[in-house]
């Protein structure tokens, strides 16, 4: 409820305001499309609301146009509704193919077929009502906005918190040569995809708010930094899942392991927690990006090829994933990929990116 309180408030305000405009200011009779359009264009999801508003208006226009045209000739009834919905949705799919346009075209066709008497010309009014609802939804987002960064940074911090827990469990399992902590780590890691999808949805909504709302125009630089971190966070979780799977194989095969490699995993767990706190920190607070990068560089220094000399395949894969993970996490801390790769000790005589050690 706390997470959805603001979207609910926005929908309620937009519905009441759009009805007031259509009914009291413009004097349309029973302008039910206005609040419907406002609520559907906003919804509880914070992502892609402007696009939803446009799709909804197009869908309603198509549904009303087809419905008015057919009902004026064939009347109302069960088979007429079948025909109106089929033609309205088919037209919408032909025009765009988006699910919202087709759904709204079908819904509008049903409403026109059942609520507007045959021969009554309600089409233009209904189209204007839908336009009012969609525009009011955009205005409400602009002037009663959620913070464009707050929800996204909480989502990112939650993912990084899980990543830190997973790495610590992997380290515990490797130290004890016990597969159970690693199995738990792998289960945790596999549940993060929904959170990553939620982060991307929050970023989509935040991008709209940072552009629409004058209240948050000054948050764009911080939002853009968080947006650039989304792909590295996603890549980091993918690498962590591979690391956990190979660690599980390593323990089950009783493969020989250099203790310093386990130490690297544990250090990474602590470094990821620093990143988590960095994402949650307000401007001017610690840890900042420079501090997070410093901690990660201290881990990178130890990721040397000597850790897997004469090692088996699983230990070698774990080592490779640690290095890839360091690169991903340094990008979350603000480094470019080239700079992040250059922090790693070389494993070949002539690396593509000379080390910056």
């Amino acid at each position: 409820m706390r997470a959805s309180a603001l979207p609910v408030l926005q929908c309620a305000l937009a519905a009441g305001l759009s009805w007031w405009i259509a009914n009291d200011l413009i004097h349309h009779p029973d302008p039910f499309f206005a609040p419907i359009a406002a609520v559907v264009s906003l919804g509880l999801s914070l992502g892609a609301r402007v696009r939803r508003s446009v799709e909804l208006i197009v869908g309603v226009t198509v549904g009303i146009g087809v419905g008015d045209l057919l009902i004026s000739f064939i009347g109302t009834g069960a088979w007429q509704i079948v025909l109106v919905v089929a033609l309205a949705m088919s037209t919408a799919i032909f025009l765009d193919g988006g699910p919202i346009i087709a759904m709204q075209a079908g819904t509008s066709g049903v409403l026109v077929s059942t609520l507007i008497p045959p021969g009554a010309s309600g089409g233009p009014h209904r189209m204007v009502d839908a336009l009012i609802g969609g525009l009011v939804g955009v205005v409400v987002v602009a002037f009663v906005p959620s913070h464009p960064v707050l929800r996204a940074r909480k989502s990112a911090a939650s993912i990084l918190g899980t990543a830190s827990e997973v790495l610590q469990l992997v380290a515990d399992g490797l130290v004890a040569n016990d597969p159970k902590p690693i199995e738990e780590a792998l289960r945790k890691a596999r549940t993060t995809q929904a959170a990553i999808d939620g982060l991307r949805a929050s970023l989509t909504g935040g991008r709209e708010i940072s552009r629409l709302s004058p209240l948050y125009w000054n948050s764009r630089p911080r939002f853009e930094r968080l947006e650039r971190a989304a792909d590295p966070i996603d890549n980091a979780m993918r690498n962590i899942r591979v690391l956990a799977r190979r660690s599980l194989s390593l323990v089950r095969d009783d493969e020989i392991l250099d203790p310093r490699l386990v130490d690297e995993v544990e250090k990474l767990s602590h470094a990821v927690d620093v990143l988590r706190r960095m994402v949650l920190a307000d401007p001017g607070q610690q840890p900042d990006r420079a501090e997070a990068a410093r901690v990660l560089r201290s881990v990178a220094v130890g990721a040397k090829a000597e850790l897997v000399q004469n090692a088996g395949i699983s230990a070698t894969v774990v080592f490779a994933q640690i290095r890839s993970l360091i690169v991903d996490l340094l990008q979350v801390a603000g480094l470019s990929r080239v700079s992040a790769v250059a922090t790693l000790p070389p494993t070949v005589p002539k690396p593509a990116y000379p080390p910056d050690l």
Side-chain angles (χ1 to χ4, degrees), residues 18 45 66 106 124 130 133 151 161 184 195 197-198 202 211 215 244 322 333:
S18 59
S45 170
V66 171
R151 181 179 288 239
E184 183 183 351
D197 294 340
S202 296
R211 292 172 179 172
L215 300 174
I322 288 173

Side-chain angles (χ1 to χ4, degrees), residues 71-283:
I71 295 303
S72 62
F73 288 105
I74 63 178
T76 60
W79 70 269
Q80 289 93 335
I81 291 174
V82 170
L83 185 60
V84 166
V85 171
L87 288 178
M89 295 187 74
S90 298
T91 303
I93 292 170
F94 176 78
L95 290 175
D96 177 82
I100 292 180
I101 290 182
M103 179 183 69
Q104 289 306 313
T107 302
S108 302
V110 170
L111 292 174
V112 169
S113 303
T114 56
L115 295 181
I116 300 178
S121 180
H125 283 180
R126 307 308 177 195
M127 294 178 195
V128 172
D129 292 343
L131 179 62
I132 290 170
L135 292 177
V136 166
V138 173
V139 171
V140 167
V141 168
F143 292 97
V144 190
S146 60
H147 196 292
V149 176
L150 184 61
R151 181 179 288 239
R153 74 175 182 174
K154 286 183 176 178
S155 298
S158 175
I159 296 166
L160 292 170
T162 301
S164 178
E165 292 175 11
V166 167
L167 289 168
Q168 185 59 57
L169 285 168
V170 169
D172 293 344
L174 291 174
V175 168
N177 200 34
D178 181 1
K180 290 184 179 179
I182 304 176
E183 290 170 354
E184 183 183 351
L186 195 51
R187 283 194 296 270
K188 282 180 174 287
R190 285 170 173 165
T191 64
T192 56
Q193 190 57 51
I196 291 169
D197 294 340
L199 169 61
R200 294 191 182 280
S202 296
L203 288 170
T204 301
R207 186 186 310 113
E208 287 189 349
I209 293 167
S210 67
R211 292 172 179 172
L212 286 173
S213 177
L215 300 174
Y216 291 119
W217 283 346
N218 62 351
S219 69
R220 290 178 187 175
R222 190 178 182 197
F223 176 79
E224 288 168 359
R225 288 196 297 270
L226 188 56
E227 194 171 33
R228 287 194 295 271
D231 283 343
I233 289 174
D234 191 355
N235 292 337
M237 285 310 308
R238 295 173 190 273
N239 281 320
I240 286 173
R241 287 195 282 268
V242 176
L243 187 152
R245 285 199 301 271
R246 295 310 307 188
S247 296
L248 189 59
S249 297
L250 191 154
V251 169
R252 286 173 174 169
D253 293 341
D254 199 22
E255 194 173 306
I256 297 174
L257 184 66
D258 190 317
R260 292 176 295 174
L261 191 63
V262 183
D263 191 45
E264 284 289 290
V265 176
E266 191 159 16
K267 286 179 179 178
L268 260 183
S269 173
H270 298 318
V272 174
D273 188 62
V274 173
L275 270 182
R276 179 190 65 81
R277 291 187 283 118
M278 178 206 78
V279 168
L280 290 175
D282 291 322

